[in-house]
Amino acid sequence: MSKPVTLPNLAGMTRPELQTALVASGAVTPDKARMRTAQIWRWVHSFGVTDFAAMTDIGKETRAALAERFTLARPEITSRQESVDGVIKWLIRFAPGVEVETVFIPDVAGSGALCVSSQVGCTLNCSFCHTGTQGLVRNLTAAEIVAQVQIARDDLGEWIAPSAERRLSNIVFMGMGEPLYNLDNVAAALDIISDNEGIAISRRRVTVSTSGVVPELRGLGERTGAMLAISLHATRDELRDQLVPINRRYPIAELMAGIRAYPGLSNAKRVTFEYVMLKGVNDTPADAKALVRLIAGIPAKINLIPFNPWPGSSFECSDRATIDAFATILKRAGYASPVRKPRGRDILAACGQLKSESEKLRASARRRLAPAETA
Ligand code: SAH
Ligand code: SF4
């Protein structure tokens, strides 16, 4: 398409934004605003169309007026890799130097989860996480979060599939970035993704993972109704301070109090505790028992994540036997199948391996700027 990229994109707007934009542009008169919004919404979010010409229940003139003023184009896919185990990873470029990774993880039962990013990079620097080494480039907009889901639906060819047949059934905010540092956009994206006349992925099938931004937990629950996952990784402040440095600001006791107060928490809506298995760091039977004690009374699932190495990482993954022993203690305490199978490791698509080229671009941009600055 040869359209200038500056046209506003309708594909990632919330319903109220869409209606306002249509009327403000003059392409739609106020008396038709509601109807046109509903029509366009369905085409974009139920059928995934990216061309106004496909909107056959809208008159030709209006379609032409829309096409002059707006775009529905997807962002650019810089690369697409498919792993031997069926994991698909897309590198998506929203603007020069603004790239994220999105990963589809098919499940054995036919369903599957899309792991989306909420930021380009991350301000936090958890010592075992590749994204954390990148620094923050910027928050993603709601439209950019939604675009990741749209790209996956395009690729999987699932726009008009009956929901029972769709492989993309769940969404996890476990890609790049800390979603609770970008809650406004995460919440707006969820409004769009969960809309029943659109992508229609229920809020109960969306999990937001946080490193523990305690003051935002309540807002997350109230505004999104999403399932909560907490990157715990240690049960003592002394160790968690090292692994997840945000712990220095919101220590474990505060975090636990925030989790207990999470809106809607119940046996049907449990919090997931993520715990990365780091050899010789947090993986002893005593650590497992401490974990069980710490979360006692909270409706919870536990996800043990074998550490996924990345170039330059200083940790090692715990041995299989150590992970099994740890898991056995959790199982005895009533937590079912707690070990997460690493997926997509061969394409660096597993948890904590994501890191875009954005930093390199920024570094080269910095180098280009440097002579001018010092001149
Ligand atoms: N920033 C959010 C969400 C993204 S990280 C958070 O930290 O929760 C998603 C999960 O992957 C987190 O539990 C994170 O701790 C974990 N993770 C990060 N690096 C990892 C690695 N190298 N191996 C395994 N899991 C990792
Ligand atoms: Fe950021 Fe999460 Fe990685 Fe920590 S684990 S650096 S919070 S993306």
Side-chain angles (χ1 to χ4, degrees):
M1 291 213 334
S2 59
K3 274 192 199 124
V5 281
T6 46
L7 288 181
N9 196 324
L10 296 182
M13 291 184 184
T14 60
R15 264 179 199 268
E17 284 168 356
L18 176 60
Q19 184 159 333
T20 305
L22 291 175
V23 175
S25 75
V28 170
T29 52
D31 58 316
K32 296 234 170 86
R34 280 190 63 144
M35 178 184 69
R36 294 286 182 234
T37 302
Q39 288 172 315
I40 295 170
W41 184 272
R42 246 175 17 97
W43 285 114
V44 172
H45 296 289
S46 287
F47 297 103
V49 309
T50 53
D51 191 346
F52 292 103
M55 302 182 176
T56 46
D57 56 356
I58 299 176
K60 249 189 173 163
E61 271 174 31
T62 308
R63 279 188 263 159
L66 289 167
E68 269 168 31
R69 294 163 173 82
F70 299 108
T71 174
L72 296 168
R74 301 276 188 255
E76 181 189 343
I77 300 167
T78 324
S79 80
R80 176 194 190 275
Q81 286 173 279
E82 194 160 349
S83 149
V84 288
D85 54 15
V87 168
I88 307 172
K89 179 170 90 168
W90 300 269
L91 182 62
I92 302 173
R93 180 186 292 158
F94 297 108
V98 182
E99 284 187 330
V100 296
E101 292 185 320
T102 306
V103 180
F104 176 68
I105 308 137
D107 194 8
V108 273
S111 58
L114 188 71
C115 179
V116 299
S117 295
S118 56
Q119 301 183 305
V120 186
C122 188
T123 47
L124 302 170
N125 39 12
C126 303
S127 45
F128 51 86
C129 174
H130 203 191
T131 307
T133 65
Q134 188 185 345
L136 180 75
V137 179
R138 70 161 168 80
N139 279 340
L140 292 185
T141 64
E144 290 165 343
I145 295 169
V146 173
Q148 298 173 63
V149 184
Q150 293 169 330
I151 282 174
R153 273 242 167 129
D154 291 344
D155 192 321
L156 297 169
E158 297 194 330
W159 280 106
I160 46 174
S163 59
E165 287 169 25
R166 284 188 184 131
R167 290 191 297 153
L168 200 183
S169 56
N170 293 59
I171 294 189
V172 294
F173 280 81
M174 294 184 187
M176 295 163 61
E178 171 47 61
L180 295 198
Y181 277 167
N182 190 16
L183 184 53
D184 288 345
N185 291 326
V186 168
L190 278 187
D191 288 345
I192 297 171
I193 292 163
S194 66
D195 191 291
N196 272 332
E197 285 160 53
I199 294 170
I201 293 180
S202 127
R203 293 169 186 278
R204 302 290 288 266
R205 290 181 175 272
V206 177
T207 301
V208 175
S209 173
T210 177
S211 56
V213 188
V214 175
E216 302 292 345
L217 289 177
R218 173 177 289 278
L220 174 72
E222 286 174 351
R223 294 170 66 183
T224 72
M227 307 291 283
L228 177 65
I230 298 286
S231 295
L232 189 63
H233 309 318
T235 55
R236 291 174 284 121
D237 281 324
E238 182 201 3
L239 177 59
R240 195 163 189 272
D241 281 351
Q242 302 303 316
L243 299 178
V244 187
I246 197 179
N247 193 69
R248 294 176 203 155
R249 207 166 333 146
Y250 310 116
I252 292 173
E254 279 178 42
L255 177 60
M256 290 300 150
I259 295 166
R260 286 177 199 275
Y262 190 69
L265 206 60
S266 68
N267 277 333
K269 195 176 175 191
R270 295 167 196 242
V271 55
T272 299
F273 286 99
E274 297 165 278
Y275 194 98
V276 62
M277 296 301 291
L278 302 170
K279 187 177 197 163
V281 175
N282 64 354
D283 61 354
T284 65
D287 289 318
K289 287 175 195 155
L291 176 57
V292 170
R293 276 197 304 274
L294 181 66
I295 67 174
I298 301 178
K301 293 183 264 192
I302 301 172
N303 230 315
L304 294 183
I305 315 174
F307 170 67
N308 292 305
W310 36 272
S313 59
S314 55
F315 293 98
E316 280 178 73
C317 182
S318 309
D319 304 324
R320 189 71 235 182
T322 309
I323 297 178
D324 287 346
F326 200 102
T328 301
I329 294 170
L330 303 181
K331 278 185 204 149
R332 280 203 199 112
Y335 300 97
S337 54
V339 185
R340 186 188 294 175
K341 199 170 141 221
R343 309 285 302 271
R345 271 185 176 179
D346 55 333
I347 56 167
L348 280 186
C351 287
Q353 293 184 310
L354 306 185
K355 180 181 176 182
S356 68
E357 294 298 304
S358 304
E359 182 195 36
K360 285 186 199 151
L361 291 171
R362 285 200 313 158
S364 63
R366 269 201 303 275
R367 275 196 297 279
R368 276 200 305 277
L369 283 174
E373 279 167 1
T374 51

